[in-house]
Amino acid sequence: LTGHPVSLRLNRTQDITMTGKRHPFFATWEAGFDAGKRLCALRATLTSNGGWSLDLSEPVLARALCHIDNAYWIPDIEVHGRVAKTNRQSNTAFRGFGGPQGMIVIEDILGRCAPALGVEPHELRRRNFYRPGQATPYGQPVRHAERLAAIWSLCAERSDFDRRQAAVAAFNAAHQDTKRGLAITPVKFGISFNLTAFNQAGALVHVYKDGSVLINHGGTEMGQGLHTKMIQVAATALGVPMAAVRLAPTRTDKVPNTSATAASAGADLNGGAVKNACDQIRERLAIVAAGRLGVPAEDVRFAGGMVTGLGAGDQRIAWPELVHDAYMRRVQLWAAGFYRTEGLHWDAERMQGEPFKYFAYGAAAAEVEVDGFTGAYRLRRADIVHDVGDSLSPLVDLGQIEGGFVQGVGWLTLEELLWDETDGPNRGRLNTQAASTYKIPSFSEMPEEFNVHLFERATESGVVYGSKAVGEPPLMEAFSVREALRQAVGAFGPAGWSVTLASPATPEAVYWAVRAARDAAPSEQPVPAYVGA
């Protein structure tokens, strides 16, 4: 009204009520299996709740459709997606950008169908993994598909899955009102922005004549360790100690036209741009060093703050000395870097192409214990094996994997949005408006034993120092917890009982599933020939 800037500060209740959430999805499906318990076909329809405006609903849905296969080869597939307009806040992007909503469909299908098919859920999953040479439903070859089986086997080995499965069965036989469940699930998650144009980044790197380095890049640090990784990239590329590198705040007057720090691509894109700028500077400095060392420029090496040459004997030049020498020779000591992800193409009309640079793989095994009287559960142990390529920063990546997994546990088992459905003036209002009513994970939901292992010998070609993205994929490793809850609930019912589990599988939802399992008679078992949504 005044034409002047306004400061608006929402309290937590207002913020939770007004702001967009992850899109809720509703899925219907039919699945077919052959005699070897392999998926033959899937027909599904995914409907997302977009809220009152479209916002990012279309690309979120597109990504959900591209991830409905997760880690499984489905030779005959027909999947439809649609966005429903509703009288709620406008839903939007959240960690995984629709991928988790698509992947949970196939995991739910396999978890529900395994008892009807007379096979253990982990065996049904293993039999249907992608194999080398196969492609996704949208036509992208699944590169390094062999890593799925390798990561799965390593996770089963490190979690002692077979022995513990027998121990869980013995525990369940001895306890009537408390049951345990153990499950293992895989992850295959595509990395890149849906919109190809977003897969680019810039950087500006200054080397000062005293040898210090200042880097600017277009990524936003939000606690995920991006700045740490960028300093490491610059230090590695220039061969200097990390202490010599400083980082300036992200500003669009320094690095323009930045893409969002999203899609798990912050380190891939900005790291590529920082390395490109550093490589330019290093090539100029190599020419100066070559003249002093008496070797070709391609034989100059930068490491540990010293510059040496192949065949130059014991000659060494300190980094600050070389930089000062280059300055005196009027050599440019700054560079603008640029990176674009190569090999991407996507036909949005046909939903065909190669929208992802690569796939991140992982597997998680989780064990839970469920109280049959309340539905409350304990997460007794979680074991994760995750593929981050050649990690830029193992400690940062471990933190991202642990945090993503726990956040996924919250999404799948705790965080439930409830609206007032009574007749009256408050009808349609959000009831879960605060941390007191909207339960997020705390230390009590952490696994009592938590083991994370980075998959080794996992170099990824065409990316910065062979690394892989780590932001979003670990969230989906929490499917193992939901599937372990399904196993525990099934132990309350007759043998082979196929459990239908709500999502989120809150203690209340688990309680009602336990009631259904306990009340079931053996004659109520689903018919193996057909299992529908």
Side-chain angles (χ1 to χ4, degrees):
L1 291 176
T2 65
H4 290 83
V6 174
S7 174
L8 174 63
R9 297 179 65 183
L10 304 178
N11 62 36
R12 176 165 288 176
T13 297
Q14 292 168 329
D15 180 80
I16 293 178
T17 302
M18 295 168 58
T19 54
K21 282 77 174 167
R22 181 191 292 277
H23 287 79
F25 270 55
F26 176 79
T28 58
W29 53 267
E30 294 176 276
F33 296 82
D34 64 17
K37 311 297 191 295
R38 292 184 176 86
L39 276 161
C40 295
L42 173 66
R43 180 186 293 120
T45 298
L46 307 185
T47 304
S48 76
N49 182 340
W52 69 271
S53 71
L54 199 56
D55 196 71
L56 288 170
S57 296
E58 289 176 306
V60 165
L61 180 62
R63 198 168 185 106
L65 294 175
C66 287
H67 283 80
I68 194 170
D69 58 323
N70 190 15
Y72 310 108
W73 163 241
I74 310 172
D76 191 346
I77 187 168
E78 178 185 333
V79 187
H80 299 269
R82 57 186 183 175
V83 181
K85 182 178 181 179
T86 62
N87 295 315
R88 289 185 182 176
Q89 83 293 325
S90 183
N91 290 312
T92 186
F94 193 67
R95 195 172 193 168
F97 203 82
Q101 293 98 308
M103 292 162 69
I104 194 175
V105 175
I106 191 65
E107 292 301 334
D108 192 62
I109 288 171
L110 296 178
R112 291 172 63 180
C113 290
L117 294 167
V119 63
E120 291 287 342
H122 64 273
E123 176 61 19
L124 183 61
R125 290 182 166 90
R126 187 194 63 79
R127 291 189 188 190
N128 285 283
F129 284 163
Y130 276 107
R131 293 180 174 85
Q134 294 177 333
T136 65
Y138 46 89
Q140 177 160 353
V142 181
R143 194 153 57 102
H144 300 315
E146 68 280 357
R147 290 187 185 178
L148 275 168
I151 288 170
W152 181 268
S153 298
L154 184 59
C155 185
E157 176 187 333
R158 294 183 68 92
S159 65
D160 201 8
F161 189 84
D162 292 338
R163 183 195 64 78
R164 289 170 57 209
Q165 194 176 30
V168 165
F171 178 91
N172 290 343
H175 295 78
Q176 181 177 354
D177 298 315
T178 305
K179 303 292 184 183
R180 291 177 180 173
L182 177 63
I184 181 170
T185 58
V187 164
K188 174 186 71 66
F189 190 82
I191 301 296
S192 286
F193 283 99
N194 294 50
L195 184 63
T196 303
F198 288 169
N199 296 285
Q200 59 176 301
L204 186 61
V205 176
H206 299 295
V207 175
Y208 294 90
K209 59 184 177 181
D210 66 351
S212 62
V213 181
L214 177 67
I215 60 176
N216 298 265
H217 63 86
T220 300
E221 174 63 63
M222 58 191 87
Q224 82 279 36
L226 178 62
H227 284 349
T228 299
K229 286 188 173 183
M230 295 305 96
I231 291 172
Q232 289 176 304
V233 168
T236 302
L238 297 174
V240 300
M242 286 181 58
V245 183
R246 294 180 297 125
L247 193 142
T250 301
R251 294 170 56 110
T252 53
D253 60 354
K254 295 293 189 297
V255 180
N257 307 320
T258 58
S259 295
T261 305
S264 304
D268 280 9
L269 297 178
N270 296 288
V274 168
K275 183 176 183 299
N276 175 255
C278 291
D279 287 347
Q280 295 176 48
I281 296 169
R282 191 185 64 215
E283 288 172 7
R284 298 178 197 138
L285 291 175
I287 295 173
V288 178
R292 292 186 53 175
L293 296 170
V295 299
E298 58 267 24
D299 289 342
V300 174
R301 298 291 182 267
F302 297 78
M306 302 300 293
V307 184
T308 58
L310 299 179
D314 294 333
Q315 294 187 75
R316 294 156 61 89
I317 307 172
W319 166 262
E321 180 185 345
L322 177 63
V323 169
H324 186 270
D325 190 13
Y327 169 77
M328 298 305 292
R329 294 168 184 259
R330 297 184 296 178
V331 173
Q332 182 179 335
L333 293 175
W334 60 269
F338 181 75
Y339 176 82
R340 52 174 285 176
T341 308
E342 298 293 344
L344 305 181
H345 59 91
W346 180 244
D347 186 332
E349 293 296 320
R350 296 176 55 245
M351 290 287 286
Q352 291 290 301
E354 297 189 21
F356 306 121
K357 176 65 175 175
Y358 55 80
F359 294 103
Y361 301 111
E367 181 180 340
V368 300
E369 184 175 297
V370 171
D371 184 331
F373 293 112
T374 65
Y377 75 90
R378 291 192 301 128
L379 181 49
R380 302 186 71 245
R381 178 174 170 178
D383 294 83
I384 296 174
V385 176
H386 195 79
D387 173 15
V388 295
D390 290 339
S391 177
L392 290 175
S393 184
L395 283 177
V396 169
D397 289 346
L398 285 171
Q400 284 286 283
I401 293 167
E402 291 173 349
F405 176 83
V406 173
Q407 188 176 53
V409 171
W411 168 55
L412 290 167
T413 68
L414 296 173
E415 301 177 42
E416 185 174 26
L417 292 165
L418 297 172
W419 281 263
D420 192 328
E421 297 180 0
T422 61
D423 291 327
N426 292 327
R427 180 175 175 81
R429 291 192 179 182
L430 184 66
N431 283 336
T432 48
Q433 298 176 331
S436 58
T437 52
Y438 183 79
K439 179 72 176 90
I440 62 174
S442 61
F443 279 114
S444 60
E445 280 76 44
M446 288 284 288
E448 295 170 14
E449 182 179 345
F450 200 179
N451 305 305
V452 178
H453 178 72
L454 301 183
F455 187 60
E456 298 163 346
R457 296 180 297 280
T459 301
E460 183 63 34
S461 60
V463 290
V464 60
Y465 292 120
S467 65
K468 277 187 174 183
V470 71
E472 293 165 316
L475 183 103
M476 280 71 75
E477 283 161 346
F479 288 144
S480 59
V481 177
R482 186 172 185 272
E483 291 306 302
L485 287 172
R486 188 196 304 277
Q487 296 290 95
V489 170
F492 285 97
W497 176 251
S498 183
V499 175
T500 300
L501 195 58
S503 188
T506 61
E508 181 181 1
V510 170
Y511 168 78
W512 290 113
V514 169
R515 282 281 300 270
R518 279 179 157 168
D519 294 344
S523 61
E524 296 179 35
Q525 294 304 293
V527 179
Y530 177 83
V531 179

